[in-house]
Amino acid sequence: MELEKYNRVRKRLKEHLDEALQNPKIHDWFMIAVNGSYNYNMDTPQSDIDSKLLVIPSLEQLVNGKSLNYLHCMSDNGEHVEVKDIRHYFATMLKQNINFVETLYAQVWIVNPVYMRLFHYLFEMRDVISGCNPIATIHCIQGTAHQKYKQMLQSSPARAAEIENYGFDRKSLHHLVRCVFFGKYYMEGTSYQECLQNNDVPNIRRMIMNLKTTTVLNKEYAINIAEDMLTGFDKKVDSYLTTIKPFQKDFSALAADVKDFLDTLAFEIIKQSIAKEYNG
């Protein structure tokens, strides 16, 4: 990411952080990271800057079994700050949900300096975390692609204007195709970061970006594109799973080790936060 864009996004992340932390229920925070198109190198000058804010529970919240997981909309332009308890974040990331794993490869983040040492442990383990369960990863990508196909044709407040104008939602089609190419490269052994960012395939990236802005596709052609891509992708997934399922026990063992690491990391973060709260 070029320096000018990096500085602009980082400045906006700081604004997200400052506004979100006004919630008195937030006891402490670990990091905030940009989310979405900026992590895929598919942002445009009009792209919103959305983020994930990882917060740390207080002792009272731990005792009461409470956690903070909600969506904060910025007061000035409605950009989203997804507030996540770090316990929930780590647990969901273990399911290999791309929307959570991508945070490990965010293009821009701000880390609470108090926890910088612990953040580095997480950062250094990101390739192990993102690769610990390829079966779950590919199922997640496949499920997301099929979900985007349904959303492409289903009206909602966010998609109503698109569907009225074009008969389908261009952004959903764009995400569907992005997921298919992510899965394709992932199954070929490409690194998680490269699968996300498409740095080595600029023509593919340009084509995917054009899908959410083009006005020449009609509904029938868009459906044909989506169905053809999903059919081919599903066949590749079936073949891929056949080759890696014999190693499922190995993946399960690695995933268990990753869970232990994340549980320990969450414990250390929370312990340090509580000690800071009560010891000053």
PDB file of all heavy atoms in Angstrom, residues 121 134 143 249:
ATOM      1  N   TYR A 121       3.575 -11.859  19.076  1.00  0.00           N
ATOM      2  CA  TYR A 121       3.403 -13.322  19.124  1.00  0.00           C
ATOM      3  C   TYR A 121       2.297 -13.747  18.157  1.00  0.00           C
ATOM      4  O   TYR A 121       2.438 -14.735  17.422  1.00  0.00           O
ATOM      5  CB  TYR A 121       3.049 -13.778  20.531  1.00  0.00           C
ATOM      6  CG  TYR A 121       4.164 -13.646  21.545  1.00  0.00           C
ATOM      7  CD1 TYR A 121       3.891 -13.296  22.863  1.00  0.00           C
ATOM      8  CD2 TYR A 121       5.481 -13.880  21.188  1.00  0.00           C
ATOM      9  CE1 TYR A 121       4.904 -13.172  23.799  1.00  0.00           C
ATOM     10  CE2 TYR A 121       6.501 -13.761  22.116  1.00  0.00           C
ATOM     11  CZ  TYR A 121       6.209 -13.401  23.417  1.00  0.00           C
ATOM     12  OH  TYR A 121       7.228 -13.287  24.334  1.00  0.00           O
ATOM     13  N   PRO A 134      -7.042 -26.476   6.587  1.00  0.00           N
ATOM     14  CA  PRO A 134      -7.436 -26.151   5.210  1.00  0.00           C
ATOM     15  C   PRO A 134      -8.802 -26.684   4.817  1.00  0.00           C
ATOM     16  O   PRO A 134      -9.460 -26.118   3.942  1.00  0.00           O
ATOM     17  CB  PRO A 134      -6.326 -26.793   4.369  1.00  0.00           C
ATOM     18  CG  PRO A 134      -5.678 -27.803   5.253  1.00  0.00           C
ATOM     19  CD  PRO A 134      -5.809 -27.276   6.637  1.00  0.00           C
ATOM     20  N   GLY A 143     -18.743 -21.832   1.107  1.00  0.00           N
ATOM     21  CA  GLY A 143     -20.016 -21.393   1.661  1.00  0.00           C
ATOM     22  C   GLY A 143     -20.263 -19.921   1.445  1.00  0.00           C
ATOM     23  O   GLY A 143     -21.390 -19.501   1.123  1.00  0.00           O
ATOM     24  N   LYS A 249      -6.539 -35.976  10.496  1.00  0.00           N
ATOM     25  CA  LYS A 249      -6.067 -36.116  11.875  1.00  0.00           C
ATOM     26  C   LYS A 249      -4.897 -35.175  12.160  1.00  0.00           C
ATOM     27  O   LYS A 249      -4.787 -34.604  13.250  1.00  0.00           O
ATOM     28  CB  LYS A 249      -5.666 -37.565  12.155  1.00  0.00           C
ATOM     29  CG  LYS A 249      -6.840 -38.528  12.279  1.00  0.00           C
ATOM     30  CD  LYS A 249      -6.375 -39.909  12.690  1.00  0.00           C
ATOM     31  CE  LYS A 249      -7.552 -40.865  12.862  1.00  0.00           C
ATOM     32  NZ  LYS A 249      -7.104 -42.233  13.247  1.00  0.00           N
TER      33      LYS A 249
END
